[in-house]
């Protein structure tokens, strides 16, 4: 048995970003590996200017492409990439979340800043990505404050359903330290054309 080999895909402080976090990895229908992460410009924390990045490997992870920007927006934190590959169509779907750079998690949980859910896709093996569309109204209950897709990647069930893990906080006390915190899923039964809220796990997950 051969030894496992390690490849550094992104290194902290290189490439114009302070920190790289929240990784996700998928294999496309033609065998390409797509590695996603957040590129954090302002520091290692969850707030500030954050961009969604991608590198591609067509040789099983031996070598990787240059960094590609998938989503970036001035004044916004764009994070929590959670890609899933539709084996039937070849489309790579990537839900993610946005909030204002000056409206971090504490303010979101206090109801003083928005946290929204978005979706982009690639139909050419990850080379290019569609203009993101907002799906907040379909997958986020109005009583929820904080929301995150992932971390990690989604899966496709044998039925064809696309399934994305998420979590959220319910605005009861409007306090991130006291409000109920749950895991949940969102799903699509029409190859990513529409998305719905699925099951919700008990508080504390």
């Amino acid at each position: 048995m051969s030894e496992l080999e390690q490849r550094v895909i992104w290194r902290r402080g290189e490439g114009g970003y302070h920190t790289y976090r929240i990784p996700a990895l998928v294999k496309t229908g033609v065998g390409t590996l797509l590695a996603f992460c957040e590129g954090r410009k302002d520091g290692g924390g969850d707030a500030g200017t954050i961009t969604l990045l991608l590198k591609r490997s067509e040789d099983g992870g031996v070598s990787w492409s240059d960094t590609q920007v998938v989503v970036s927006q001035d004044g916004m934190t764009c994070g929590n990439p959670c890609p899933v590959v539709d084996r039937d169509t070849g489309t790579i779907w990537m839900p993610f979340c946005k909030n204002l750079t000056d409206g971090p998690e504490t303010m979101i949980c206090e109801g003083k800043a928005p946290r929204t859910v978005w979706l982009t896709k690639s139909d050419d093996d990850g080379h290019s990505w569609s203009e993101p569309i907002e799906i907040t109204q379909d997958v986020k209950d109005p009583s929820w404050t904080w929301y995150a897709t992932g971390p990690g990647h989604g899966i496709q069930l044998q039925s064809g359903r696309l399934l994305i893990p998420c979590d959220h906080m319910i605005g009861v006390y409007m306090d991130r330290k006291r409000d109920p915190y749950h895991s949940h899923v969102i799903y699509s039964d029409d190859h990513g054309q529409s998305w719905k809220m699925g099951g919700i796990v008990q508080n504390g997950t």
Side-chain angles (χ1 to χ4, degrees):
M1 181 181 295
S2 62
E3 294 183 5
L4 294 176
E5 296 183 31
Q6 178 175 292
R7 295 284 188 275
V8 177
I9 304 178
W10 287 284
R11 191 183 301 276
R12 182 175 186 249
E14 296 181 353
Y17 295 90
H18 179 280
T19 301
Y20 300 96
R21 286 203 62 200
I22 320 300
L25 182 70
V26 294
K27 186 177 183 179
T28 72
V30 298
T32 305
L33 295 177
L34 302 181
F36 301 84
C37 76
E38 294 182 0
R40 300 185 172 189
K41 284 189 173 293
D42 300 330
D46 296 337
T49 302
I50 296 178
T51 299
L52 293 181
L53 306 175
L54 165 66
K55 284 191 177 185
R56 308 173 73 257
S57 175
E58 297 180 354
D59 55 12
V62 176
S63 63
W64 293 85
S65 69
D66 293 337
T67 297
Q68 174 183 345
V69 174
V70 178
V71 178
S72 179
Q73 185 175 348
D74 291 342
M76 298 297 291
T77 296
C78 302
N80 290 93
C82 192
V84 63
V85 177
D86 188 328
R87 63 177 177 267
D88 300 318
T89 66
T91 299
I92 304 115
W93 294 94
M94 192 179 70
F96 66 96
C97 294
K98 283 187 190 182
N99 59 265
L100 300 168
T101 54
D102 57 359
E105 185 174 353
T106 296
M107 292 181 64
I108 294 167
C109 294
E110 292 172 346
K112 298 177 180 178
R115 176 76 167 174
T116 52
V117 191
W118 295 74
L119 185 70
T120 182
K121 68 172 182 174
S122 174
D123 289 316
D124 59 3
D125 205 47
H127 286 284
S128 63
W129 294 82
S130 65
E131 185 70 23
I133 60 170
E134 186 175 357
I135 59 170
T136 308
Q137 66 278 4
D138 299 319
V139 298
K140 183 179 181 182
D141 188 279
S143 68
W144 299 355
T145 53
W146 177 254
Y147 192 108
T149 45
H153 59 80
I155 61 172
Q156 186 176 33
L157 305 183
Q158 290 184 348
S159 65
R161 172 173 287 183
L162 302 176
L163 199 63
I164 300 293
C166 305
D167 61 70
H168 66 273
M169 189 172 290
I170 303 174
V172 177
Y173 305 102
M174 309 308 284
D175 182 342
R176 63 182 294 189
K177 294 183 179 179
R178 294 193 295 158
D179 278 339
Y181 201 102
H182 298 259
S183 293
H184 71 278
V185 294
I186 63 175
Y187 67 92
S188 174
D189 285 331
D190 54 10
H191 300 287
Q193 299 305 309
S194 63
W195 293 82
K196 300 177 182 179
M197 287 187 287
I200 300 171
V201 190
Q202 67 267 24
N203 183 29
T205 52

